[in-house]
Amino acid sequence: MSDQEEEFTAQNVPDASEKRGGGYETINIPVPSEQPPRSDQTEDSESEPEENESEPEENESEPEGNESEPEENESEPEPSGGGYEARSEEQIDQSSSSLEINNEEQHLEEVRLPEEVLDSPVYSKRQGLSELDNATQSIKQHADDYYLTFLDEIKAVKESLKTPIQDSLATVKVVLLPVGQEIIMRFRIDSVLKYLKDHFANQLSVPPDVLQIRCAGMILKNYETLLQHGFTAQDIVQVEIFSTLPDLYPIQRIHGLKDASRVLIIRVQTGIDQYQQVAVEMIKSDFHKPFLGGFRHKITGIEYHNAGTQTVPKKILEKYNAFCRDTQTVFQRKKLQQTTNTTSTQMTKIGVYVSNMTDKLVTPGEYFSAEEYHAQRLAAVIVIQTYYRRWHAKIMVENIRRQKMLRLKWEEEEQLRKIRAKEEWMKLDYYRRHNPQTKEDFELLYNALELWRQEELECINQTFTGAERKAALCQLLEKETQLIASIGRHRHHAYVGSQEAVIQAFLDKCSAPMTWKRFDGKILEMDTQFTIRARELQNIYKCILIKNISQDERLDILLTLKHTVKEHECKLTQEILELIDREVDLMMRGVKHHNLEGLRKRISTLFLHYIKTPLFNPEVARHLKVPQDPLKFYKKIHFCHSCQLYLPSTEFSVSSTSRRVFRCRNCISLDNETRQRESFLKYKCLLQRLFSSEADYEDDSKIAFLMQLEDIQYLTENIWSGQSVLSAWKDLGDLVFVRWDKALEWSPWNCVLLTRDEGAAHLKLTSIEEGYESKFIHKIKHKHILAKNYFSQIPLLASFIFDDDEIEEIRKNYATETTPNFIECQKTNP
């Protein structure tokens, strides 16, 4: 190496180290300082470890040689000046072999030293020079080729030191777990992560050893840097910080920080071919920036502002109401004032000249007194009040108009809703009449038949007489008979369809697994041997009912049924087996399928009886209506005097006023179809509406839920005459029973029959005396007394009627007046 190169290196390397000590981290060279310092060797020794810091992967072997050689120098000191030329080749080989031995120690020492040096940013130059001189003395002992390579590395470090401080900074986005707080900050990529951990340990008041830093699912160690993980300057790195002991040292939010901000690196041109990078922090604004002019693109719709501001605007004080009486009231105060300073004017006189060029000529105006002034002010106030009252009146009228429009719109929508509800009810009624399925549907048909018969009968009585009337009555009877037969056919079809649905529901219930509800709301299901048996029998029954199948498939089904029935021997199973053999014989003879329908129907019916027998299907015993114990069955059996049958108590309809069981439900329904032909569907709907309205009160009312269908019918027809007490509306589909006094529970003596709209308006009343006249209230109370007299005969409802002085007084009066009076008629003499 030439003297000029050594001199150049000695001049430039210290400058670079000083620059790095001011704004960068300084790296301590792991070399003992026992040899005397030499200035020309210090430069080379100092530059080499700095290059090893910036390029740890490429030049990993060279720092090892720097460490091993000083150790050898400690044991064998060399003379100063040109010692490396006198060394033997054996010593060089030993020095090179010791590089691998001390590699691990030098690496660990390099990890610890940056932390110690960075704590004291200004490094001691004397200590550095002494260590670098010792390193340079050991480096001089190497060969010329190794020395030239080392010089190239010094130049590379020198070029790296010339980069500005912004080039080694990266934007780090720190996320605190589990609170999720985000903090954005700048951090050097060549600094160890221990400083970042210490910073947040101080902010969170947590020991540094408890915190862990994680990036992309990988835990980062204290001595590692962002540069080692492949991050470069100006990158955005997201790391997560969490606690290893969350119970003892939980991570909490750091208060006092501003909102999350973004840091942008902007490249600014400062001269010709000269650029400078500037870090700009974008702070999230929480206020609305004022519009300072701009324009909007007609096609894209993007707004462009002429100017903007980042200054937080001043808060505008809240304006008080200026439209009030206080602002229009004048408060007068009288106070005498005297100026403390006296003033004087300079006039023209002998020896003094005052220019009058700037003087103004003031002429007095018309004088007006204080009364005129106050009159003028009063006129102005009246004008202001006039305009204000006009503005206020316009607002009030506009509000009233808007409320009127909303009210009219609501009434129109309500009217349309009622019309739609009425149309839906009529469509449902029409569908139920043309496709009757339930008992209520057939009641509607018989009711319509009776209304038609009465109209025709009235028309015949008004039109015909004598023989023509008898012929018309016979024709009417024939038509009525045909209609009754048609209704009967519809009832039969509906019964067959419903019976099949009932059988399927019964079989599904028997084959369903046993269920329990767990504490967490889930349902547990368990199949027993009985439910499995019931499911097998259900599948066989479904296969028997299948139609339009081939002969082989039918034979397989019959064979399976035969093996199932053979398990038990009794009269029922023998009959099933005989029918199976008969069907197989007929199928082999070529009998058509439609001729075998009766036989197959018998087989399915008998097999259904087989399924319903608890001996063959034990699970069915839990779902049969007939109890297995005869003693329990006998206790609930009653005799029907109409059909002369013994039936269970569930087949009888008992009203609140009935004292004994007389006729069953079927006999009552048959009597109604043949004589009165009334429809109880409207009364059932009325009773359901009563139940739903009382359930909404949630005040434990009991009397309403004790009412039966016959009680509602008597209360509607006999007491309230089947119409609204206010509007006399007779359509029961629109009527409801509501409480007369909503503070008390519903009862026959605390109710009123109204339409739905009238009932809603009645419940909104705060006082009954203010809403109705005394005559109307007296009329309602009279109906309540009639209801009390009737329902007091029921023992259960009589317990709710306490001592009522008014009722007792009325009964006494009626008891005295109901005694018969005999009037003797005197015969006149002829």
Side-chain angles (χ1 to χ4, degrees):
M1 181 178 181
S2 63
D3 297 338
Q4 296 178 357
E5 292 177 350
E6 293 178 2
E7 184 179 0
F8 175 79
T9 306
Q11 293 176 0
N12 294 327
V13 173
D15 298 336
S17 63
E18 292 176 2
K19 184 185 299 184
R20 185 173 180 83
Y24 287 78
E25 297 179 359
T26 58
I27 306 301
N28 190 12
I29 304 299
V31 180
S33 58
E34 295 181 0
Q35 300 295 334
R38 294 182 182 180
S39 61
D40 56 345
Q41 295 176 356
T42 303
E43 302 160 356
D44 300 337
S45 178
E46 184 179 359
S47 303
E48 183 177 356
E50 290 179 349
E51 184 176 357
N52 294 334
E53 179 68 17
S54 61
E55 300 176 0
E57 298 179 357
E58 298 178 358
N59 303 326
E60 185 178 0
S61 61
E62 294 179 2
E64 295 176 359
N66 297 340
E67 184 180 0
S68 62
E69 290 178 1
E71 293 177 357
E72 186 177 358
N73 293 337
E74 291 179 7
S75 61
E76 298 179 3
E78 294 292 335
S80 61
Y84 69 93
E85 295 177 355
R87 293 190 61 177
S88 61
E89 296 179 359
E90 182 179 358
Q91 291 175 347
I92 296 173
D93 296 337
Q94 292 177 0
S95 175
S96 62
S97 63
S98 64
L99 297 176
E100 298 178 358
I101 298 173
N102 300 326
N103 184 18
E104 184 177 358
E105 297 177 0
Q106 191 266 347
H107 177 69
L108 295 175
E109 189 174 0
E110 287 179 352
V111 170
R112 294 192 303 269
L113 288 174
E115 177 183 352
E116 299 173 0
V117 175
L118 285 173
D119 293 337
S120 59
V122 180
Y123 191 69
S124 176
K125 293 184 178 180
R126 294 180 181 179
Q127 184 179 358
L129 291 174
S130 62
E131 293 179 356
L132 293 174
D133 290 342
N134 295 334
T136 306
Q137 184 178 0
S138 63
I139 293 171
K140 289 291 185 177
Q141 299 173 6
H142 282 281
D144 292 340
D145 53 351
Y146 183 80
Y147 186 77
L148 293 175
T149 305
F150 192 71
L151 183 60
D152 294 338
E153 294 175 359
I154 292 175
K155 292 181 179 180
V157 173
K158 175 183 172 182
E159 293 296 333
S160 65
L161 292 175
K162 294 180 180 181
T163 58
I165 190 171
Q166 284 83 359
D167 294 343
S168 61
L169 294 178
T171 302
V172 180
K173 181 179 181 181
V174 182
V175 181
L176 301 180
L177 298 180
V179 296
Q181 184 179 8
E182 297 181 357
I183 301 173
I184 299 176
M185 59 184 301
R186 303 283 287 169
F187 190 74
R188 292 185 59 179
I189 59 175
D190 55 352
S191 298
V192 293
L193 296 173
K194 186 177 184 301
Y195 305 138
L196 184 63
K197 184 184 293 186
D198 293 341
H199 172 71
F200 280 97
N202 186 22
Q203 293 287 336
L204 297 170
S205 299
V206 174
D209 300 337
V210 178
L211 298 180
Q212 289 287 346
I213 301 178
R214 180 172 58 196
C215 180
M218 183 174 58
I219 303 298
L220 305 182
K221 299 180 180 179
N222 292 343
Y223 59 83
E224 293 180 348
T225 62
L226 296 178
L227 187 62
Q228 294 178 2
H229 290 275
F231 296 105
T232 60
Q234 313 306 333
D235 285 351
I236 299 177
V237 186
Q238 180 173 350
V239 298
E240 300 172 353
I241 295 180
F242 60 94
S243 175
T244 57
L245 299 175
D247 296 334
L248 297 178
Y249 302 101
I251 299 295
Q252 299 179 357
R253 295 185 64 88
I254 301 176
H255 300 283
L257 296 178
K258 297 182 180 179
D259 295 337
S261 59
R262 295 181 57 189
V263 179
L264 301 179
I265 303 300
I266 300 176
R267 189 179 182 187
V268 181
Q269 184 175 3
T270 58
I272 300 175
D273 297 336
Q274 294 182 2
Y275 297 93
Q276 182 181 0
Q277 291 183 349
V278 180
V280 179
E281 182 179 5
M282 298 177 62
I283 301 176
K284 182 180 178 181
S285 62
D286 56 351
F287 62 91
H288 179 71
K289 294 184 178 181
F291 179 71
L292 302 179
F295 60 94
R296 183 176 63 85
H297 200 283
K298 293 183 177 179
I299 300 177
T300 61
I302 300 176
E303 293 185 356
Y304 298 91
H305 292 186
N306 293 338
T309 178
Q310 293 183 351
T311 305
V312 180
K314 295 182 179 180
K315 293 185 179 180
I316 301 175
L317 298 177
E318 183 180 0
K319 292 184 178 180
Y320 296 98
N321 187 13
F323 305 102
C324 62
R325 187 176 298 276
D326 296 339
T327 58
Q328 303 179 21
T329 305
V330 179
F331 296 97
Q332 297 181 354
R333 292 182 181 178
K334 296 182 179 180
K335 185 177 181 182
L336 300 177
Q337 293 182 353
Q338 178 66 32
T339 57
T340 57
N341 297 329
T342 57
T343 58
S344 61
T345 58
Q346 182 67 42
M347 304 297 295
T348 302
K349 64 177 183 176
I350 300 174
V352 177
Y353 173 74
V354 179
S355 177
N356 57 0
M357 298 299 294
T358 57
D359 293 348
K360 294 181 180 179
L361 182 61
V362 179
T363 58
E366 184 180 357
Y367 175 79
F368 57 92
S369 61
E371 296 179 356
E372 296 176 352
Y373 172 77
H374 288 293
Q376 183 181 2
R377 297 291 296 173
L378 179 60
V381 168
I382 291 174
V383 172
I384 294 174
Q385 289 181 347
T386 302
Y387 281 98
Y388 168 71
R389 290 172 181 173
R390 178 175 176 268
W391 171 80
H392 192 267
K394 289 176 64 178
I395 291 179
M396 290 182 61
V397 171
E398 187 65 26
N399 291 335
I400 295 173
R401 184 183 294 109
R402 183 170 60 254
Q403 293 176 4
K404 178 184 177 182
M405 295 298 295
L406 293 175
R407 177 69 182 183
L408 294 176
K409 184 179 179 180
W410 177 81
E411 290 180 355
E412 184 179 357
E413 292 177 355
E414 192 70 14
Q415 190 70 19
L416 292 175
R417 185 187 63 81
K418 292 179 181 179
I419 293 174
R420 286 194 296 267
K422 193 70 175 179
E423 291 177 354
E424 291 177 358
W425 174 264
M426 294 178 65
K427 288 181 180 179
L428 180 62
D429 185 72
Y430 181 81
Y431 176 78
R432 298 179 73 171
R433 291 174 187 270
H434 284 74
N435 299 282
Q437 298 294 332
T438 61
K439 179 182 178 181
E440 290 79 8
D441 299 343
F442 289 102
E443 287 181 357
L444 288 175
L445 287 178
Y446 279 108
N447 186 20
L449 176 62
E450 180 64 20
L451 294 177
W452 171 80
R453 190 187 69 82
Q454 291 179 1
E455 291 178 359
E456 292 293 330
L457 182 61
E458 184 179 358
C459 182
I460 290 172
N461 292 331
Q462 293 179 358
T463 307
F464 303 103
T465 56
E468 294 180 354
R469 180 176 175 275
K470 290 183 180 180
L473 291 176
C474 292
Q475 188 177 2
L476 176 62
L477 181 61
E478 184 178 357
K479 290 181 180 180
E480 183 181 1
T481 305
Q482 294 177 359
L483 292 175
I484 292 174
S486 177
I487 294 174
R489 287 192 297 269
H490 280 287
R491 173 175 286 180
H492 177 71
H493 292 308
Y495 174 77
V496 171
S498 63
Q499 194 67 19
E500 293 178 357
V502 168
I503 293 173
Q504 293 297 331
F506 177 76
L507 296 178
D508 292 338
K509 189 185 297 183
C510 294
S511 61
M514 301 181 68
T515 58
W516 292 276
K517 190 173 182 180
R518 292 176 50 183
F519 64 93
D520 55 355
K522 295 183 179 179
I523 304 297
L524 290 179
E525 296 182 355
M526 184 187 72
D527 281 324
T528 62
Q529 56 181 351
F530 301 141
T531 58
I532 295 174
R533 171 69 175 176
R535 195 175 298 117
E536 293 176 355
L537 297 178
Q538 181 187 11
N539 294 332
I540 296 174
Y541 182 77
K542 288 182 179 179
C543 294
I544 293 174
L545 298 179
I546 297 176
K547 298 181 180 180
N548 300 326
I549 58 177
S550 63
Q551 184 175 353
D552 296 337
E553 293 175 349
R554 182 66 183 178
L555 290 175
D556 293 339
I557 294 172
L558 294 177
L559 183 61
T560 304
L561 177 60
K562 188 174 183 179
H563 286 301
T564 304
V565 174
K566 274 184 177 181
E567 297 177 359
H568 304 86
E569 292 183 0
C570 63
K571 184 177 180 181
L572 178 63
T573 57
Q574 291 178 0
E575 187 176 358
I576 293 174
L577 292 175
E578 291 178 359
L579 293 177
I580 291 173
D581 295 337
R582 187 183 305 175
E583 182 181 357
V584 172
D585 186 31
L586 293 175
M587 289 174 62
M588 293 302 178
R589 294 175 182 269
V591 179
K592 295 181 181 181
H593 294 286
H594 63 274
N595 295 328
L596 297 175
E597 290 182 358
L599 181 60
R600 293 175 178 176
K601 181 66 177 176
R602 289 184 60 190
I603 293 174
S604 62
T605 304
L606 291 177
F607 186 66
L608 180 62
H609 292 169
Y610 178 86
I611 293 174
K612 290 184 177 181
T613 304
L615 179 62
F616 310 136
N617 187 12
E619 185 65 21
V620 80
R622 299 173 57 247
H623 305 283
L624 288 177
K625 292 183 178 181
V626 179
Q628 299 300 315
D629 189 3
L631 297 177
K632 295 181 180 180
F633 183 74
Y634 294 153
K635 291 180 181 179
K636 298 181 180 180
I637 291 298
H638 298 277
F639 179 73
C640 178
H641 297 273
S642 178
C643 60
Q644 304 294 321
L645 295 176
Y646 289 94
L647 299 173
S649 58
T650 57
E651 297 296 330
F652 291 88
S653 175
V654 181
S655 63
S656 302
T657 57
S658 60
R659 299 181 180 273
R660 63 187 182 91
V661 178
F662 185 74
R663 291 187 301 176
C664 63
R665 296 179 186 271
N666 294 330
C667 295
I668 294 174
S669 176
L670 182 62
D671 182 71
N672 180 46
E673 292 176 0
T674 54
R675 296 181 181 179
Q676 298 177 356
R677 293 176 181 175
E678 294 181 358
S679 177
F680 301 98
L681 179 61
K682 294 183 179 180
Y683 298 106
K684 291 181 180 179
C685 295
L686 188 62
L687 186 61
Q688 290 177 359
R689 287 194 292 269
L690 174 62
F691 289 162
S692 62
S693 63
E694 287 300 311
D696 294 338
Y697 280 101
E698 298 181 356
D699 56 354
D700 298 333
S701 60
K702 301 177 182 178
I703 302 177
F705 299 98
L706 297 175
M707 303 299 292
Q708 300 294 328
L709 183 62
E710 293 80 3
D711 302 332
I712 290 294
Q713 183 179 3
Y714 179 85
L715 190 64
T716 304
E717 294 180 353
N718 297 353
I719 295 179
W720 299 101
S721 303
Q723 62 183 5
S724 172
V725 71
L726 284 176
S727 59
W729 185 259
K730 295 185 178 181
D731 190 1
L732 295 180
D734 297 334
L735 300 180
V736 291
F737 274 110
V738 296
R739 298 182 180 184
W740 172 250
D741 186 2
K742 60 183 179 180
L744 303 176
E745 68 170 321
W746 189 96
S747 61
W749 51 90
N750 185 33
C751 67
V752 60
L753 185 62
L754 301 171
T755 62
R756 297 184 181 183
D757 298 337
E758 294 171 355
H762 171 76
L763 294 177
K764 292 180 181 179
L765 293 176
T766 57
S767 176
I768 298 176
E769 289 76 10
E770 295 179 359
Y772 303 105
E773 295 181 355
S774 58
K775 293 183 179 180
F776 182 80
I777 295 175
H778 179 72
K779 177 181 178 181
I780 298 299
K781 287 185 177 181
H782 176 69
K783 293 183 179 294
H784 289 169
I785 292 171
L786 295 178
K788 274 188 178 182
N789 288 332
Y790 175 78
F791 287 99
S792 61
Q793 304 172 12
I794 305 173
L796 185 61
L797 294 180
S799 61
F800 293 95
I801 303 175
F802 300 99
D803 297 335
D804 195 340
D805 298 336
E806 185 179 1
I807 296 295
E808 294 297 334
E809 184 179 356
I810 293 175
R811 286 179 179 177
K812 290 179 180 179
N813 295 334
Y814 276 102
T816 56
E817 293 179 359
T818 53
T819 55
N821 295 327
F822 297 96
I823 302 174
E824 296 181 359
C825 297
Q826 296 180 0
K827 295 182 180 180
T828 56
N829 293 326

